[in-house]
Amino acid sequence: MRTRTAIVCSVADQGVAALTNILVLVAAARLSTTTDFARFSAVYLVFTVLLGISGAHTGQPLVLERGRSDEIRGACRSAVVLTLLAAAALGALLAAVCLFLPGDTARALLMLGVVLPVVLGQDAVRYAFSALQQPHLALTADLLRLGCVLAALSTQPYGAGAARLIAVWGLSALPALLLSAALLHREVAGTPLSLRPLLRRGHLGRRFVVEFGVGNATGQLSVLALGTVGNPLLVGALRGATTLFGPLNVLFTSATGFGPPLLGRVGDERRRVRATAVLAAVLAATAAAWATVLALLPDAAGRQLLGDTWPAASALLPATGSQYAAMAVGTCGLLTLRMLDPRTTLAIQVVFSLAAVAFLTGGYLLAGVPGAAWGLCLGSVCKAAATWTRVSRLRRRNPAPEAAVSADPVPSGP
């Protein structure tokens, strides 16, 4: 596939995935009361953490693979199989534990356990198609998923519980998973299945899981904790605000997950760094423009999007919009570091993600939910500055254009 076609298909696929995610949350907000949406958001937040861990351990190292075609195909098959097995085991454990717990949240978590192999498996196949440089196959499957989830959620009545919405959302991805599995089997059939390298101590995915844990999951779980011990509506308000920026959120996540195979087609290191810098500027400007559009949205239109959650979410738009502009810069900085040296990002993630949690907590104590939102923004600004400072230092240390590229950043054994 030509580079330009691959880029178009990859960008289109990320757009479809982003649209799916935002429409799921919009539909849940419109079908739920404020309390029910907060409950749905909490469970969806748990899924987001598990999705990030899965992508960090198997997906992100997979797209950094270099080698012969048959080796990459075998790595794709192994990564998808491991994801399905791990998701099935974890989902069964989650469902078994929640079966004996009371409350609507426990029932929603039980349903999450049931659908976990479907939703995590679908995401793993998307990484595999990216590594195989076949983004048009991922786009085909994601278009099917978008149609199925919209059709399924459109039949749900107002007041549907969180457990029902989780079940409908998860099972609606099953046709897309089956199609993806069939398409992937055609690409990787006959390659050896090797799960042991993915579980070894030196596997790069372990480092990426730690990065995700301190970089993303820590902040999300902190929001969940503050909502539990403080204001329960905090989760719904922040989740409602971030839902409005759903397309950008998915694009940021996809940049580090799906960007390396595309950037690998760019001629030299200097041009790759320049490309990520331009991408950072474009995404930051897009975030600022989108925040402006949302701020000017009439209340009636806002309630059509988020229902009863709109008033609380709209008050956070200035902080959340600023945060996403900073996230654009930081995400592209992390993508650049992954291309230069994927082992340099852990320290940045640890230090500045923990700082973001401190800013979140401090902002909440000082100014409630708006203060928490501005605390998250400050954390994103600090992380963005740190990533590009590190990029600058690496470029000065390795001035030769192909010096860093010659070292193959693939997962290694012990």
Side-chain angles (χ1 to χ4, degrees):
M1 178 179 291
R2 293 182 177 181
T3 300
R4 182 174 300 177
T5 304
I7 292 175
V8 170
C9 289
S10 183
V11 171
D13 178 52
Q14 306 317 316
V16 170
L19 183 62
T20 302
N21 284 349
I22 191 172
L23 289 179
V24 166
L25 289 167
V26 167
R30 296 186 64 182
L31 293 170
S32 308
T33 64
T34 302
T35 302
D36 287 336
F37 182 67
R39 185 177 293 114
F40 176 89
S41 297
V43 176
Y44 199 85
L45 194 60
V46 174
F47 159 71
T48 302
V49 172
L50 296 177
L51 179 68
I53 292 174
S54 174
H57 186 270
T58 56
Q60 293 178 21
L62 182 61
V63 298
L64 292 175
E65 284 279 0
R66 300 290 186 272
R68 300 192 309 270
S69 174
D70 58 334
E71 293 177 340
I72 296 177
R73 289 163 57 226
C76 290
R77 183 187 179 196
S78 301
V80 172
V81 170
L82 178 64
T83 300
L84 288 172
L85 292 175
L90 181 59
L93 177 62
L94 180 62
V97 171
C98 293
L99 184 63
F100 300 98
L101 298 178
D104 293 336
T105 301
R107 286 194 291 271
L109 286 171
L110 187 152
M111 294 311 305
L112 176 61
V114 172
V115 303
L116 198 60
V118 178
V119 290
L120 291 188
Q122 168 67 15
D123 189 70
V125 179
R126 295 179 68 237
Y127 279 102
F129 287 144
S130 177
L132 293 169
Q133 298 190 14
Q134 300 286 345
H136 62 288
L137 299 181
L139 176 59
T140 301
D142 282 338
L143 284 171
L144 176 61
R145 182 179 183 182
L146 174 61
C148 290
V149 73
L150 288 181
L153 289 175
S154 66
T155 63
Q156 303 308 303
Y158 179 80
R164 177 172 177 171
L165 293 177
I166 289 291
V168 170
W169 155 75
L171 293 177
S172 67
L174 186 57
L177 174 62
L178 295 176
L179 175 62
S180 297
L183 294 174
L184 182 65
H185 177 73
R186 187 182 64 182
E187 297 290 329
V188 304
T191 58
L193 182 65
S194 182
L195 303 182
R196 185 170 297 178
L198 299 175
L199 302 174
R200 287 176 179 171
R201 183 178 179 182
H203 179 51
L204 193 60
R206 292 195 175 191
R207 175 180 289 266
F208 290 165
V209 168
V210 175
E211 289 189 24
F212 173 80
V214 298
N216 298 89
T218 300
Q220 294 179 20
L221 293 177
S222 297
V223 172
L224 190 61
L226 284 177
T228 301
V229 302
N231 184 355
L233 298 181
L234 171 67
V235 178
L238 287 176
R239 194 64 183 176
T242 56
T243 295
L244 298 172
F245 291 86
L248 289 172
N249 194 48
V250 174
L251 287 175
F252 295 165
T253 303
S254 299
T256 54
F258 301 95
L262 296 176
L263 289 173
R265 300 181 179 216
V266 178
D268 56 60
E269 180 182 286
R270 179 176 298 177
R271 291 175 60 193
R272 282 192 285 270
V273 173
R274 186 182 302 122
T276 54
V278 172
L279 179 62
V282 170
L283 289 179
T286 302
W290 184 239
T292 302
V293 170
L294 292 174
L296 298 176
L297 202 65
D299 285 343
R303 287 184 179 275
Q304 287 294 316
L305 287 174
L306 293 181
D308 295 340
T309 307
W310 168 254
S314 62
L316 305 182
L317 287 177
T320 306
S322 301
Q323 178 193 358
Y324 271 81
M327 285 173 59
V329 179
T331 298
C332 292
L334 289 174
L335 172 59
T336 308
L337 290 177
R338 287 281 172 89
M339 297 299 296
L340 295 176
D341 185 353
R343 299 182 182 275
T344 60
T345 55
L346 179 57
I348 292 175
Q349 293 279 41
V350 171
V351 173
F352 291 95
S353 296
L354 293 178
V357 173
F359 295 147
L360 164 70
T361 305
Y364 178 74
L365 294 176
L366 291 174
V369 177
W374 281 111
L376 289 173
C377 175
L378 180 58
S380 296
V381 170
C382 293
K383 185 183 291 188
T387 55
W388 283 100
T389 299
R390 183 62 175 166
V391 168
S392 177
R393 290 176 179 174
L394 283 177
R395 290 290 295 138
R396 288 198 300 267
R397 186 179 305 172
N398 302 305
E402 295 301 323
V405 178
S406 61
D408 214 6
V410 299
S412 58

mmCIF file with all atom_site columns, all heavy atoms in Angstrom, residues 250-264:
data_model
loop_
_atom_site.group_PDB
_atom_site.id
_atom_site.type_symbol
_atom_site.label_atom_id
_atom_site.label_alt_id
_atom_site.label_comp_id
_atom_site.label_asym_id
_atom_site.label_entity_id
_atom_site.label_seq_id
_atom_site.pdbx_PDB_ins_code
_atom_site.Cartn_x
_atom_site.Cartn_y
_atom_site.Cartn_z
_atom_site.occupancy
_atom_site.B_iso_or_equiv
_atom_site.pdbx_formal_charge
_atom_site.auth_seq_id
_atom_site.auth_comp_id
_atom_site.auth_asym_id
_atom_site.auth_atom_id
_atom_site.pdbx_PDB_model_num
ATOM 1   N N   . VAL A 1 250 ? -9.043  10.044 21.489 1.00 0.00 ? 250 VAL A N   1
ATOM 2   C CA  . VAL A 1 250 ? -8.692  8.831  20.763 1.00 0.00 ? 250 VAL A CA  1
ATOM 3   C C   . VAL A 1 250 ? -7.526  9.079  19.810 1.00 0.00 ? 250 VAL A C   1
ATOM 4   O O   . VAL A 1 250 ? -6.634  8.242  19.660 1.00 0.00 ? 250 VAL A O   1
ATOM 5   C CB  . VAL A 1 250 ? -9.921  8.285  20.009 1.00 0.00 ? 250 VAL A CB  1
ATOM 6   C CG1 . VAL A 1 250 ? -9.535  7.104  19.137 1.00 0.00 ? 250 VAL A CG1 1
ATOM 7   C CG2 . VAL A 1 250 ? -10.995 7.869  20.995 1.00 0.00 ? 250 VAL A CG2 1
ATOM 8   N N   . LEU A 1 251 ? -7.500  10.239 19.177 1.00 0.00 ? 251 LEU A N   1
ATOM 9   C CA  . LEU A 1 251 ? -6.395  10.557 18.274 1.00 0.00 ? 251 LEU A CA  1
ATOM 10  C C   . LEU A 1 251 ? -5.074  10.646 19.028 1.00 0.00 ? 251 LEU A C   1
ATOM 11  O O   . LEU A 1 251 ? -4.032  10.190 18.534 1.00 0.00 ? 251 LEU A O   1
ATOM 12  C CB  . LEU A 1 251 ? -6.678  11.868 17.538 1.00 0.00 ? 251 LEU A CB  1
ATOM 13  C CG  . LEU A 1 251 ? -7.751  11.804 16.448 1.00 0.00 ? 251 LEU A CG  1
ATOM 14  C CD1 . LEU A 1 251 ? -8.007  13.196 15.895 1.00 0.00 ? 251 LEU A CD1 1
ATOM 15  C CD2 . LEU A 1 251 ? -7.346  10.858 15.337 1.00 0.00 ? 251 LEU A CD2 1
ATOM 16  N N   . PHE A 1 252 ? -5.094  11.207 20.233 1.00 0.00 ? 252 PHE A N   1
ATOM 17  C CA  . PHE A 1 252 ? -3.867  11.297 21.028 1.00 0.00 ? 252 PHE A CA  1
ATOM 18  C C   . PHE A 1 252 ? -3.365  9.896  21.376 1.00 0.00 ? 252 PHE A C   1
ATOM 19  O O   . PHE A 1 252 ? -2.172  9.594  21.257 1.00 0.00 ? 252 PHE A O   1
ATOM 20  C CB  . PHE A 1 252 ? -4.114  12.084 22.310 1.00 0.00 ? 252 PHE A CB  1
ATOM 21  C CG  . PHE A 1 252 ? -4.473  13.532 22.090 1.00 0.00 ? 252 PHE A CG  1
ATOM 22  C CD1 . PHE A 1 252 ? -5.015  14.285 23.119 1.00 0.00 ? 252 PHE A CD1 1
ATOM 23  C CD2 . PHE A 1 252 ? -4.290  14.138 20.866 1.00 0.00 ? 252 PHE A CD2 1
ATOM 24  C CE1 . PHE A 1 252 ? -5.350  15.612 22.934 1.00 0.00 ? 252 PHE A CE1 1
ATOM 25  C CE2 . PHE A 1 252 ? -4.622  15.467 20.660 1.00 0.00 ? 252 PHE A CE2 1
ATOM 26  C CZ  . PHE A 1 252 ? -5.156  16.204 21.699 1.00 0.00 ? 252 PHE A CZ  1
ATOM 27  N N   . THR A 1 253 ? -4.284  9.063  21.825 1.00 0.00 ? 253 THR A N   1
ATOM 28  C CA  . THR A 1 253 ? -3.900  7.700  22.187 1.00 0.00 ? 253 THR A CA  1
ATOM 29  C C   . THR A 1 253 ? -3.399  6.938  20.969 1.00 0.00 ? 253 THR A C   1
ATOM 30  O O   . THR A 1 253 ? -2.413  6.184  21.039 1.00 0.00 ? 253 THR A O   1
ATOM 31  C CB  . THR A 1 253 ? -5.093  6.960  22.807 1.00 0.00 ? 253 THR A CB  1
ATOM 32  O OG1 . THR A 1 253 ? -5.577  7.688  23.940 1.00 0.00 ? 253 THR A OG1 1
ATOM 33  C CG2 . THR A 1 253 ? -4.701  5.553  23.245 1.00 0.00 ? 253 THR A CG2 1
ATOM 34  N N   . SER A 1 254 ? -4.049  7.143  19.845 1.00 0.00 ? 254 SER A N   1
ATOM 35  C CA  . SER A 1 254 ? -3.672  6.433  18.624 1.00 0.00 ? 254 SER A CA  1
ATOM 36  C C   . SER A 1 254 ? -2.325  6.907  18.083 1.00 0.00 ? 254 SER A C   1
ATOM 37  O O   . SER A 1 254 ? -1.639  6.147  17.396 1.00 0.00 ? 254 SER A O   1
ATOM 38  C CB  . SER A 1 254 ? -4.751  6.628  17.561 1.00 0.00 ? 254 SER A CB  1
ATOM 39  O OG  . SER A 1 254 ? -5.989  6.115  18.005 1.00 0.00 ? 254 SER A OG  1
ATOM 40  N N   . ALA A 1 255 ? -1.952  8.141  18.383 1.00 0.00 ? 255 ALA A N   1
ATOM 41  C CA  . ALA A 1 255 ? -0.684  8.660  17.863 1.00 0.00 ? 255 ALA A CA  1
ATOM 42  C C   . ALA A 1 255 ? 0.489   7.817  18.334 1.00 0.00 ? 255 ALA A C   1
ATOM 43  O O   . ALA A 1 255 ? 1.361   7.434  17.547 1.00 0.00 ? 255 ALA A O   1
ATOM 44  C CB  . ALA A 1 255 ? -0.496  10.122 18.284 1.00 0.00 ? 255 ALA A CB  1
ATOM 45  N N   . THR A 1 256 ? 0.526   7.508  19.633 1.00 0.00 ? 256 THR A N   1
ATOM 46  C CA  . THR A 1 256 ? 1.622   6.691  20.154 1.00 0.00 ? 256 THR A CA  1
ATOM 47  C C   . THR A 1 256 ? 1.442   5.229  19.792 1.00 0.00 ? 256 THR A C   1
ATOM 48  O O   . THR A 1 256 ? 2.418   4.491  19.662 1.00 0.00 ? 256 THR A O   1
ATOM 49  C CB  . THR A 1 256 ? 1.722   6.828  21.683 1.00 0.00 ? 256 THR A CB  1
ATOM 50  O OG1 . THR A 1 256 ? 0.437   6.530  22.267 1.00 0.00 ? 256 THR A OG1 1
ATOM 51  C CG2 . THR A 1 256 ? 2.126   8.229  22.066 1.00 0.00 ? 256 THR A CG2 1
ATOM 52  N N   . GLY A 1 257 ? 0.189   4.796  19.628 1.00 0.00 ? 257 GLY A N   1
ATOM 53  C CA  . GLY A 1 257 ? -0.048  3.397  19.342 1.00 0.00 ? 257 GLY A CA  1
ATOM 54  C C   . GLY A 1 257 ? 0.066   3.033  17.876 1.00 0.00 ? 257 GLY A C   1
ATOM 55  O O   . GLY A 1 257 ? 0.516   1.941  17.535 1.00 0.00 ? 257 GLY A O   1
ATOM 56  N N   . PHE A 1 258 ? -0.337  3.951  16.981 1.00 0.00 ? 258 PHE A N   1
ATOM 57  C CA  . PHE A 1 258 ? -0.395  3.628  15.569 1.00 0.00 ? 258 PHE A CA  1
ATOM 58  C C   . PHE A 1 258 ? 0.495   4.529  14.710 1.00 0.00 ? 258 PHE A C   1
ATOM 59  O O   . PHE A 1 258 ? 0.584   4.324  13.494 1.00 0.00 ? 258 PHE A O   1
ATOM 60  C CB  . PHE A 1 258 ? -1.840  3.725  15.066 1.00 0.00 ? 258 PHE A CB  1
ATOM 61  C CG  . PHE A 1 258 ? -2.778  2.804  15.799 1.00 0.00 ? 258 PHE A CG  1
ATOM 62  C CD1 . PHE A 1 258 ? -3.514  3.268  16.879 1.00 0.00 ? 258 PHE A CD1 1
ATOM 63  C CD2 . PHE A 1 258 ? -2.908  1.487  15.434 1.00 0.00 ? 258 PHE A CD2 1
ATOM 64  C CE1 . PHE A 1 258 ? -4.371  2.424  17.569 1.00 0.00 ? 258 PHE A CE1 1
ATOM 65  C CE2 . PHE A 1 258 ? -3.762  0.635  16.114 1.00 0.00 ? 258 PHE A CE2 1
ATOM 66  C CZ  . PHE A 1 258 ? -4.497  1.096  17.180 1.00 0.00 ? 258 PHE A CZ  1
ATOM 67  N N   . GLY A 1 259 ? 1.136   5.521  15.329 1.00 0.00 ? 259 GLY A N   1
ATOM 68  C CA  . GLY A 1 259 ? 1.984   6.427  14.569 1.00 0.00 ? 259 GLY A CA  1
ATOM 69  C C   . GLY A 1 259 ? 3.305   5.851  14.103 1.00 0.00 ? 259 GLY A C   1
ATOM 70  O O   . GLY A 1 259 ? 3.739   6.139  12.975 1.00 0.00 ? 259 GLY A O   1
ATOM 71  N N   . PRO A 1 260 ? 4.004   5.020  14.904 1.00 0.00 ? 260 PRO A N   1
ATOM 72  C CA  . PRO A 1 260 ? 5.330   4.552  14.494 1.00 0.00 ? 260 PRO A CA  1
ATOM 73  C C   . PRO A 1 260 ? 5.403   3.871  13.137 1.00 0.00 ? 260 PRO A C   1
ATOM 74  O O   . PRO A 1 260 ? 6.334   4.151  12.369 1.00 0.00 ? 260 PRO A O   1
ATOM 75  C CB  . PRO A 1 260 ? 5.719   3.602  15.642 1.00 0.00 ? 260 PRO A CB  1
ATOM 76  C CG  . PRO A 1 260 ? 5.028   4.164  16.833 1.00 0.00 ? 260 PRO A CG  1
ATOM 77  C CD  . PRO A 1 260 ? 3.714   4.683  16.316 1.00 0.00 ? 260 PRO A CD  1
ATOM 78  N N   . PRO A 1 261 ? 4.462   2.968  12.778 1.00 0.00 ? 261 PRO A N   1
ATOM 79  C CA  . PRO A 1 261 ? 4.585   2.363  11.440 1.00 0.00 ? 261 PRO A CA  1
ATOM 80  C C   . PRO A 1 261 ? 4.502   3.383  10.310 1.00 0.00 ? 261 PRO A C   1
ATOM 81  O O   . PRO A 1 261 ? 5.178   3.238  9.285  1.00 0.00 ? 261 PRO A O   1
ATOM 82  C CB  . PRO A 1 261 ? 3.398   1.389  11.390 1.00 0.00 ? 261 PRO A CB  1
ATOM 83  C CG  . PRO A 1 261 ? 3.102   1.070  12.808 1.00 0.00 ? 261 PRO A CG  1
ATOM 84  C CD  . PRO A 1 261 ? 3.369   2.349  13.549 1.00 0.00 ? 261 PRO A CD  1
ATOM 85  N N   . LEU A 1 262 ? 3.687   4.424  10.484 1.00 0.00 ? 262 LEU A N   1
ATOM 86  C CA  . LEU A 1 262 ? 3.581   5.453  9.446  1.00 0.00 ? 262 LEU A CA  1
ATOM 87  C C   . LEU A 1 262 ? 4.816   6.343  9.422  1.00 0.00 ? 262 LEU A C   1
ATOM 88  O O   . LEU A 1 262 ? 5.351   6.663  8.360  1.00 0.00 ? 262 LEU A O   1
ATOM 89  C CB  . LEU A 1 262 ? 2.325   6.288  9.674  1.00 0.00 ? 262 LEU A CB  1
ATOM 90  C CG  . LEU A 1 262 ? 0.993   5.543  9.545  1.00 0.00 ? 262 LEU A CG  1
ATOM 91  C CD1 . LEU A 1 262 ? -0.166  6.464  9.881  1.00 0.00 ? 262 LEU A CD1 1
ATOM 92  C CD2 . LEU A 1 262 ? 0.837   4.983  8.132  1.00 0.00 ? 262 LEU A CD2 1
ATOM 93  N N   . LEU A 1 263 ? 5.288   6.744  10.609 1.00 0.00 ? 263 LEU A N   1
ATOM 94  C CA  . LEU A 1 263 ? 6.479   7.589  10.658 1.00 0.00 ? 263 LEU A CA  1
ATOM 95  C C   . LEU A 1 263 ? 7.719   6.828  10.204 1.00 0.00 ? 263 LEU A C   1
ATOM 96  O O   . LEU A 1 263 ? 8.695   7.436  9.751  1.00 0.00 ? 263 LEU A O   1
ATOM 97  C CB  . LEU A 1 263 ? 6.683   8.116  12.082 1.00 0.00 ? 263 LEU A CB  1
ATOM 98  C CG  . LEU A 1 263 ? 5.675   9.175  12.538 1.00 0.00 ? 263 LEU A CG  1
ATOM 99  C CD1 . LEU A 1 263 ? 5.862   9.492  14.018 1.00 0.00 ? 263 LEU A CD1 1
ATOM 100 C CD2 . LEU A 1 263 ? 5.820   10.445 11.715 1.00 0.00 ? 263 LEU A CD2 1
ATOM 101 N N   . GLY A 1 264 ? 7.697   5.503  10.328 1.00 0.00 ? 264 GLY A N   1
ATOM 102 C CA  . GLY A 1 264 ? 8.820   4.707  9.860  1.00 0.00 ? 264 GLY A CA  1
ATOM 103 C C   . GLY A 1 264 ? 9.034   4.814  8.365  1.00 0.00 ? 264 GLY A C   1
ATOM 104 O O   . GLY A 1 264 ? 10.120  4.515  7.856  1.00 0.00 ? 264 GLY A O   1
#
